[in-house]
């Protein structure tokens, strides 16, 4: 007979939990037999005491086993997915999924909605008229099998790692999110249950990321690569910079428009570079050689694939994107070089403008967000537009402007040293 109190005490005192203890506590919590306050106490003990590689792997498996595991192993094309730990202006999934599908892989991507200052892929795609995030596992398989579509971005069903859904909601309100084994097992339980054969992780580092320091991001990436590999999913991680937002937009329909620029063969260099770097990793993990994804962007194949992918989920790729009813411009207070544009400040301001939500289930504004007219390294003239703020609710402007007060630095004779976008690569 297991007891929740014994499991909590064992971890509180620095012990290792047995496989049986982990299986029991995760399953009993999912059934509602371990109370929220007991699981919260255990999560806090894990934050302090950590978990070994064995415990983390077992915990991940227990969360997978709490629900359904999708299986795409019978598809004719190799499956590969990408997961980002979340950043500001991170719209990479939008051009990346159809691009990789156009190069011959199937991309099953269960995505989330945004919470807090980082945007969610589903919120972005829902800015497209008619597009539906909820599709069945059978329909998902059909679309992945169709070479003209080959990529599905959709919401995870309620039965995918339900233990994680309950636990993540509890961690969110008990100060227990910040634990590498808990974060790694949370992310990887969903990705492994999703049934992908290979996975590329984009672990963000910097002010706008969940983890601010490179050593923490490296530790998380290593833990996730180990979990994926141990579960038979070919997994690699890139550590990428998130001190400044990606591209020139943050906000749902603004980011869709920018993604369309990338799919049309243009777009901001950082978004294009990261899309191509992740596409190359995904194709390598999927075992597809000899195809340069840059060609599929340049010749329109990725755009064709995008249009099919959007139509397949009920969206109209030709519909005008929603625009916010009000805008306000922030102008440069001096001339010089833009040395810094802070991702966290921009994310927070976009969120306050209505692009993100404060609580799960809140609505988001499709058109709200921020356009950035300059990026670090650009020469700036006093009075030129730096940022345009978009919202349907103009009473949000003061809060957004407050978030942006120290968001950027312009130096009259600054020597700008560009920082690398890709900081590291972690393999098994
Ligand atoms: N994202 C997740 O899915 N889980 C975590 O624990 C943290 C970020």
């Amino acid at each position: 007979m297991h007891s929740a109190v014994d499991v909590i005490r064992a971890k509180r005192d620095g012990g290792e939990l047995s496989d049986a203890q982990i299986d029991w506590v995760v399953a009993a919590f999912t059934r509602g037999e371990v109370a929220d306050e007991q699981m919260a106490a255990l999560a806090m003990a894990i934050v302090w005491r950590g978990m070994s590689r064995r415990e983390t792997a077992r915990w991940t498996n227990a969360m997978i086993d709490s629900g359904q595991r999708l299986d795409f192993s019978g598809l004719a094309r190799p499956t590969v997915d990408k997961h980002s730990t979340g950043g500001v202006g991170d719209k990479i999934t939008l051009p990346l999924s159809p691009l990789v599908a156009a190069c011959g892989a199937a991309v099953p991507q269960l995505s989330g909605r945004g919470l807090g200052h980082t945007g969610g892929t589903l919120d972005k795609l829902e800015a497209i008229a008619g597009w539906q995030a909820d599709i069945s596992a059978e329909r998902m398989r059909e679309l992945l099998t169709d070479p003209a579509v080959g990529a599905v971005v959709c919401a995870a069903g309620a039965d995918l790692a339900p233990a994680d859904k309950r636990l993540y909601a509890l961690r969110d309100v008990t100060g227990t999110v910040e634990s590498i084994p808990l974060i790694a097992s949370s992310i990887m339980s969903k990705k492994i249950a999703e049934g992908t054969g290979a996975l590329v992780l984009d672990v963000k580092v910097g002010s706008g990321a969940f983890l601010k320091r490179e050593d923490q991001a490296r530790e998380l990436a290593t833990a996730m690569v180990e979990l994926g590999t141990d579960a038979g999913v070919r997994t690699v991680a890139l550590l990428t910079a998130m001190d400044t937002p990606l591209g020139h937009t943050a906000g749902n329909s603004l980011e869709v428009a920018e993604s369309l620029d990338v799919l049309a063969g243009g777009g901001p260099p950082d978004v294009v570079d990261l899309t191509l770097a992740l596409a190359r990793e995904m194709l390598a993990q999927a075992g597809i050689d000899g195809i340069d994804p840059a060609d599929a962007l340049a010749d329109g194949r990725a755009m064709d694939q995008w249009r099919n992918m959007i139509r397949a989920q009920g969206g109209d790729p030709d519909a005008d994107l929603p625009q916010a009813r009000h805008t306000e411009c922030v102008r440069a207070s001096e001339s010089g070089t833009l040395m810094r544009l802070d991702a966290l400040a921009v994310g927070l301001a976009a969120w306050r403008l209505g692009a993100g939500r404060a609580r799960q289930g809140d609505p988001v504004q499709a058109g709200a967000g921020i356009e950035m007219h300059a990026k670090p390294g650009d020469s700036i003239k006093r009075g030129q537009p730096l940022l345009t703020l978009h919202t349907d609710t103009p009473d949000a402007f003061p809060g957004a402007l407050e978030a942006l007060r120290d968001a950027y630095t312009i130096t009259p004779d600054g020597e700008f040293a560009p920082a690398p976008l890709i900081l590291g690569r972690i393999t098994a």
Side-chain angles (χ1 to χ4, degrees):
M1 249 324 254
H2 294 284
S3 122
V5 178
D6 288 347
V7 177
I8 296 164
R9 283 198 183 115
K11 186 45 77 183
R12 180 198 66 191
D13 296 342
E16 272 210 29
L17 303 181
S18 69
D19 289 351
Q21 281 176 313
I22 291 171
D23 293 350
W24 174 80
V25 80
V26 172
F29 172 64
T30 312
R31 290 193 301 267
E33 290 164 18
V34 166
D36 280 359
E37 56 270 27
Q38 292 177 311
M39 198 52 154
L42 179 57
M44 187 57 88
I46 293 171
V47 168
W48 279 96
R49 296 295 194 174
M51 284 202 285
S52 67
R53 179 170 176 173
R54 178 196 58 78
E55 286 176 293
T56 310
R58 193 76 186 194
W59 187 278
T60 307
N61 271 330
M63 295 214 290
I64 296 168
D65 289 345
S66 71
Q68 177 198 19
R69 188 168 175 165
L70 302 179
D71 180 8
F72 296 117
S73 56
L75 291 187
R77 310 164 127 221
T79 49
V80 60
D81 186 13
K82 184 266 317 187
H83 175 82
S84 159
T85 56
V88 178
D90 184 1
K91 71 269 305 163
I92 302 292
T93 293
L94 276 57
L96 180 66
S97 303
L99 171 61
V100 172
C103 295
V107 185
Q109 177 154 85
L110 300 182
S111 283
R113 291 195 165 73
L115 193 62
H117 76 275
T118 61
T121 298
L122 300 182
D123 294 326
K124 294 173 199 185
L125 287 165
E126 279 173 348
I128 300 169
W131 188 86
Q132 295 293 324
D134 294 310
I135 61 173
S136 68
E138 295 73 47
R139 179 75 179 139
M140 196 172 170
R141 173 176 274 276
E142 259 171 51
L143 297 179
L144 290 174
T145 309
D146 180 352
V149 179
V152 178
V153 182
C154 62
D159 202 28
L160 193 108
D164 176 64
K165 276 199 186 71
R166 284 198 62 190
L167 179 55
Y168 192 36
L170 190 60
R171 287 167 55 214
D172 208 25
V173 294
T174 56
T176 52
V177 169
E178 292 84 356
S179 149
I180 300 280
L182 288 178
I183 299 169
S185 57
S186 167
I187 293 173
M188 292 306 290
S189 62
K190 290 172 281 204
K191 288 287 140 185
I192 297 166
E194 160 196 283
T196 188
L199 179 64
V200 176
L201 297 161
D202 180 3
V203 180
K204 302 284 185 204
V205 190
S207 81
F210 188 53
L211 297 175
K212 315 291 179 204
R213 293 201 331 251
E214 190 171 331
D215 60 331
Q216 297 169 321
R218 194 170 284 278
E219 197 184 330
L220 175 65
T222 304
M224 292 196 292
V225 168
E226 285 172 359
L227 285 173
T229 307
D230 289 353
V233 178
R234 287 182 304 286
T235 308
V236 64
L238 295 185
L239 300 185
T240 71
M242 187 30 74
D243 285 311
T244 201
L246 273 170
H248 287 94
T249 57
N252 301 311
S253 67
L254 293 168
E255 293 192 46
V256 175
E258 189 165 74
S259 303
L260 289 170
D261 293 342
V262 174
L263 287 162
D270 56 348
V271 178
V272 175
D273 289 353
L274 187 54
T275 301
L276 288 174
L278 289 166
R280 291 188 177 112
E281 292 288 353
M282 288 172 77
L283 294 173
Q285 293 301 304
I288 296 174
D289 301 321
I291 292 188
D292 185 356
D295 295 340
L297 271 189
D299 66 16
R301 274 178 293 148
M303 179 66 100
D304 291 344
Q305 203 88 21
W306 159 267
R307 294 173 62 79
N308 295 339
M309 171 183 138
I310 295 303
R311 272 199 213 97
Q313 288 181 235
D316 176 358
D318 297 313
D320 288 339
L321 289 165
Q323 287 190 357
R325 288 195 292 275
H326 303 273
T327 59
E328 181 146 337
C329 186
V330 174
R331 292 178 184 276
S333 51
E334 56 197 310
S335 297
T337 304
L338 182 63
M339 303 297 283
R340 182 183 72 89
L341 178 60
D342 183 62
L344 179 59
V346 171
L348 208 57
W351 175 64
R352 290 184 179 173
L353 290 167
R357 55 174 65 77
R359 274 175 315 198
Q360 258 170 18
D362 284 355
V364 296
Q365 293 178 28
I370 296 185
E371 263 177 284
M372 292 155 262
H373 304 293
K375 293 290 294 279
D378 289 352
S379 292
I380 304 289
K381 289 228 164 13
R382 182 162 186 252
Q384 88 170 59
L386 265 190
L387 306 166
T388 302
L389 281 52
H390 297 245
T391 187
D392 291 332
T393 44
D395 57 355
F397 282 133
L401 291 168
E402 166 64 24
L404 291 168
R405 208 152 45 107
D406 299 317
Y408 62 90
T409 310
I410 298 171
T411 309
D413 46 10
E415 278 284 305
F416 181 77
L421 186 58
I422 297 176
L423 307 169
R425 181 173 185 273
I426 288 160
T427 62

